[in-house]
Amino acid sequence: MKVYRAIRANAVILVMTMLICVTSTTVSAASSDNWSIVYNPSAPNGYNQITDTFIMPYYTDGYILTCSYYSGAPNSYLKVSWQLPTGENRTVFINSVDTVLIDVGIGSYPTGYVTLYMSARPGYACYASGSISLNN
């Protein structure tokens, strides 16, 4: 019976320690990220990667989004959207190999991070890849 109580007490201590570690963890974001969009409207479920999301540390000078490979149906494009500290939404469209400045404006975000959303135009095949990084 004493062994069972000791095991139970150790398990409770382990769980409490894990809870403390989990609740004190902070969110971190990379200063660069690779992305990929693979979208074929006629492909079976599970094949497509029609969207990608980036969580970047807030950087006043913005970000550089590079599209190093692009192949798509006529009228296809990638839509990249984000929100400025003022609440204004911004969007850029990419339909070729390109490098684009993502401007986030002057100000601060409460969390210290900026979330950018990328998506392919629904109904139009698109295959693209590239990277995003701080505008250093």
Side-chain angles (χ1 to χ4, degrees), residues 70-93:
Y70 189 94
S71 175
N75 299 319
S76 67
Y77 59 75
L78 299 175
K79 176 182 175 182
V80 183
S81 58
W82 66 98
Q83 190 174 58
L84 297 178
T86 60
E88 176 187 356
N89 292 317
R90 291 273 174 95
T91 303
V92 295
F93 296 94

Side-chain angles (χ1 to χ4, degrees), residues 34-119:
N34 293 321
W35 57 267
S36 177
I37 296 292
V38 176
Y39 176 53
N40 181 343
S42 61
N45 288 340
Y47 173 77
N48 290 319
Q49 168 74 28
I50 192 170
T51 63
D52 207 342
T53 304
F54 316 106
I55 300 175
M56 303 291 287
Y58 176 72
Y59 192 64
T60 305
D61 290 339
Y63 312 94
I64 298 293
L65 181 76
T66 301
C67 180
S68 53
Y69 176 80
Y70 189 94
S71 175
N75 299 319
S76 67
Y77 59 75
L78 299 175
K79 176 182 175 182
V80 183
S81 58
W82 66 98
Q83 190 174 58
L84 297 178
T86 60
E88 176 187 356
N89 292 317
R90 291 273 174 95
T91 303
V92 295
F93 296 94
I94 300 169
N95 61 2
S96 64
V97 171
D98 202 356
T99 299
V100 178
L101 174 64
I102 304 292
D103 179 22
V104 294
I106 298 173
S108 64
Y109 284 76
T111 62
Y113 298 95
V114 176
T115 303
L116 300 102
Y117 304 95
M118 176 183 283
S119 61

